[in-house]
Amino acid sequence: MSYAKVLSAGLVGVTGHLIEVEAHLATGLPALVLSGLPDTALHEARDRVRAAIINSGQEWPSRRITVNLLPATLPKRGSVFDCAIAVAILAGAGVLPLAAFDRVAILGELGLDGAVRPVRGVLPMVAAALRAGITRVVVPLGNAQEAAIVPGVLVKAIDTLHRLIAFVRDGVPMLDPSDQGVPAHGAPGPDLADVAGQPLGRRAIEVAAAGGHHVAIFGPPGAGKTMLAERLPSILPELDDEAALEVTALHSIAGVLPPGGRLLRRPPFQAPHHTATMQSLVGGGSGLAKPGAISLAHRGVLFLDEAAEFSGRALDALRQPLESGRVLLRRVSGATEFPARVQLCLAANPCPCARPAGDVYCECSPRVRRRYLSRLSGPLLDRVDVQVMLPPVTAADLLCAGAPGESSTTVADRVAKARAAAGARWSAKAWRTNAEVPGPALRGADWRLPARDTTALLRLLDSGALSARGFDRVVRMAWTIADLDGRHRPGREDVAEAIQLRMGVLT
């Protein structure tokens, strides 16, 4: 036989695709030609595959070998096809029987010694194979537990090309992902009870968590801004199956999945440094773009500490993803779309001098203060629902003179109940949180709040103190506050608290 075809899988952006790997061996000068839009890393597979086959005890066919990857119009990137190319060549040379690879997807990078090395993005690739009706996959040992996350797929692992050949020829068993053990859970995250005082900040974080709202926290150094933001994930509910698969797939593609490849159930938390570029925040890179921090925080929290120190261009690039919940990046080689449904959390000092005592001893002029916060543009802040100014921490708060604050467990229980109430209310529209509800739906006949409860809100809108977008965000927060307090609909007090949380920095 001079022709063989095996199955593999590849990635375009965050989407997996089933790939057919063909090999044809013909008479002529010995050579290996790759076709099907391969990138540089894939072109280099010619040398890797040849060395791996020889070092696995097999003879390299001295013939002209053409390897084609279908569909040929789809870009092929990376080294994930190495194992499939090696198997197709050996099968085409008559060394391995093709029957053993019928409806089996093979993934993995080859080392020169024949070792099979893990690759990025195995989870979405295995999911793509399953969508195409392929229920058996062979993956590198380091990706076995990650691949096993996908239900309904039989996963077998290999550590060397020699093991795969021995399995086909002699029935030597491959490795089972269940034999690799399960890594222990990491240490518990920070607890909300650690925050000294700051009842307004704690309430802001709770409301933000319950409704999926963006939040900005301003205040002097040591007021607890960073502590509150870092504890936001600890009061968020665990991800459901669909969201967990999305998040785990994104982290797999980016190569930041924790060892062991477990399904990520906790909402992710990304806290890039204030020197981060626009590309690192929203995604970018040569060729097809890679996910940025906002996509790695999908279904979780993107925390920008010292937000006023970030580049204004980088911050404004977040505006469109915050509205749409996705990032669409176009490059010469194609367009890539990444999910970006995040909770943005900003923290900043109110001025450059940042006196611990706050405004009492501030040495900055009003002009300097305005210039310092000007990087947080009006359009960006207009998309942030909760905006609060924290006072300095008092000695009584710091020394725990009063009762300690509620723990994350206690607050998370209220947040879970509030999210359940919102989910039941919006279930017909498939909205998960109040923050996802469009403004027209809130202003419609079914859910519009009575005029007697929104008098102050309408006055702010007419005076220009609040934009139309801000109006909708206050109404969403009012629904969240009502959910937290166990009421079926918001009242005047809920709207008033929502206005305070929205305009606390301005009033």
Side-chain angles (χ1 to χ4, degrees), residues 95-294:
V95 176
L96 296 178
L98 268 180
F101 303 105
D102 183 37
R103 302 191 65 75
V104 177
I106 305 172
L107 313 175
E109 173 186 320
L110 286 174
L112 300 183
D113 59 351
V116 179
R117 305 181 184 278
V119 293
R120 297 181 179 184
V122 162
L123 178 58
M125 287 189 282
V126 172
L130 181 62
R131 288 196 300 271
I134 305 302
T135 58
R136 295 183 295 163
V137 297
V138 177
V139 301
L141 180 61
N143 296 124
Q145 290 183 343
E146 177 186 344
I149 292 173
V150 182
V153 176
L154 176 63
V155 178
K156 291 298 180 181
I158 51 175
D159 53 356
T160 63
L161 180 61
H162 180 270
R163 183 182 294 275
L164 182 58
I165 296 171
F167 166 76
V168 176
R169 281 182 171 177
D170 308 319
V172 175
M174 288 189 280
L175 304 175
D176 195 307
S178 61
D179 297 334
Q180 307 308 309
V182 178
H185 288 284
D191 196 287
L192 199 57
D194 301 334
V195 180
Q198 300 299 6
L200 176 61
R202 295 173 64 93
R203 179 64 169 176
I205 289 295
E206 182 176 344
V207 170
H213 305 291
H214 307 309
V215 57
I217 308 173
F218 301 89
K225 305 183 297 294
T226 303
M227 291 186 71
L228 285 166
E230 290 176 343
R231 284 149 181 79
L232 176 55
S234 70
I235 61 175
L236 293 174
E238 286 195 345
L239 302 175
D240 59 25
D241 291 344
E242 180 184 354
L245 282 171
E246 288 180 357
V247 171
T248 308
L250 277 167
H251 284 68
S252 173
I253 292 167
V256 295
L257 197 63
R262 293 173 65 99
L263 192 65
L264 300 180
R265 287 290 184 181
R266 293 301 308 163
F269 180 78
Q270 291 287 313
H273 192 260
H274 65 261
T275 57
T277 63
M278 180 180 71
Q279 290 76 14
S280 67
L281 287 181
V282 299
S286 59
L288 288 179
K290 296 179 176 61
I294 192 171

Side-chain angles (χ1 to χ4, degrees), residues 174-499:
M174 288 189 280
L175 304 175
D176 195 307
S178 61
D179 297 334
Q180 307 308 309
V182 178
H185 288 284
D191 196 287
L192 199 57
D194 301 334
V195 180
Q198 300 299 6
L200 176 61
R202 295 173 64 93
R203 179 64 169 176
I205 289 295
E206 182 176 344
V207 170
H213 305 291
H214 307 309
V215 57
I217 308 173
F218 301 89
K225 305 183 297 294
T226 303
M227 291 186 71
L228 285 166
E230 290 176 343
R231 284 149 181 79
L232 176 55
S234 70
I235 61 175
L236 293 174
E238 286 195 345
L239 302 175
D240 59 25
D241 291 344
E242 180 184 354
L245 282 171
E246 288 180 357
V247 171
T248 308
L250 277 167
H251 284 68
S252 173
I253 292 167
V256 295
L257 197 63
R262 293 173 65 99
L263 192 65
L264 300 180
R265 287 290 184 181
R266 293 301 308 163
F269 180 78
Q270 291 287 313
H273 192 260
H274 65 261
T275 57
T277 63
M278 180 180 71
Q279 290 76 14
S280 67
L281 287 181
V282 299
S286 59
L288 288 179
K290 296 179 176 61
I294 192 171
S295 293
L296 293 179
H298 177 60
R299 299 296 179 190
V301 178
L302 175 62
F303 174 44
L304 303 184
D305 201 5
E306 303 297 345
E309 301 291 343
F310 278 79
S311 159
R313 184 166 171 259
L315 290 173
D316 284 338
L318 301 175
R319 286 156 49 181
Q320 186 269 339
L322 292 178
E323 288 285 337
S324 64
R326 64 189 184 98
V327 175
L328 180 62
L329 301 172
R330 296 190 180 277
R331 297 293 185 269
V332 174
S333 55
T336 307
E337 182 176 312
F338 298 116
R341 183 69 64 184
V342 303
Q343 280 187 254
L344 178 65
C345 185
L346 305 174
N349 297 315
C351 65
C353 79
R355 295 290 184 180
D359 295 344
V360 177
Y361 295 103
C362 178
E363 299 176 351
C364 302
S365 66
R367 181 179 181 182
V368 170
R369 291 170 67 94
R370 286 194 300 270
R371 185 187 302 127
Y372 181 72
L373 292 177
S374 63
R375 288 182 181 174
L376 303 177
S377 64
L380 175 63
L381 284 179
D382 199 35
R383 290 165 167 81
V384 179
D385 309 45
V386 183
Q387 303 177 29
V388 294
M389 177 72 74
L390 301 185
V393 176
T394 65
D397 290 332
L398 190 61
L399 298 176
C400 299
E406 291 180 312
S407 67
S408 291
T409 302
T410 302
V411 178
D413 183 60
R414 286 200 301 270
V415 168
K417 292 178 180 177
R419 286 214 175 192
R425 180 169 56 248
W426 311 119
S427 59
K429 299 293 185 179
W431 298 318
R432 295 170 179 253
T433 61
N434 291 323
E436 297 179 26
V437 183
L442 293 171
R443 300 189 299 271
D446 292 337
W447 304 107
R448 181 185 301 171
L449 300 182
R452 66 178 182 274
D453 295 332
T454 58
T455 302
L457 187 56
L458 294 170
R459 190 181 304 119
L460 289 170
L461 180 63
D462 289 338
S463 68
L466 202 63
S467 67
R469 180 187 289 114
F471 177 93
D472 289 338
R473 291 183 180 274
V474 170
V475 173
R476 293 187 187 109
M477 279 196 292
W479 279 101
T480 300
I481 293 168
D483 290 336
L484 280 170
D485 295 341
R487 289 185 288 276
H488 295 294
R489 292 183 73 93
R492 183 179 303 177
E493 296 79 8
D494 301 317
V495 174
E497 183 179 358
I499 292 173

Side-chain angles (χ1 to χ4, degrees), residues 3-93:
Y3 172 83
K5 180 175 70 175
V6 298
L7 299 177
S8 187
L11 284 174
V12 177
V14 297
T15 305
H17 297 273
L18 190 68
I19 302 296
E20 297 179 1
V21 180
E22 298 179 307
H24 175 67
L25 284 70
T27 57
L29 292 175
L32 174 56
V33 179
L34 286 171
S35 63
L37 290 185
D39 69 345
T40 302
L42 189 49
H43 268 299
E44 294 172 348
R46 293 176 296 187
D47 300 318
R48 290 195 302 272
V49 170
R50 185 176 187 276
I53 288 178
I54 293 173
N55 289 322
S56 297
Q58 306 303 311
E59 184 178 348
W60 179 257
S62 295
R63 302 167 70 180
R64 179 177 178 81
I65 305 170
T66 302
V67 174
N68 184 41
L69 285 77
L70 298 173
T73 55
L74 201 68
K76 318 299 188 309
R77 300 182 177 275
S79 55
V80 67
F81 307 106
D82 287 3
C83 279
I85 292 173
V87 169
I89 291 173
L90 291 174

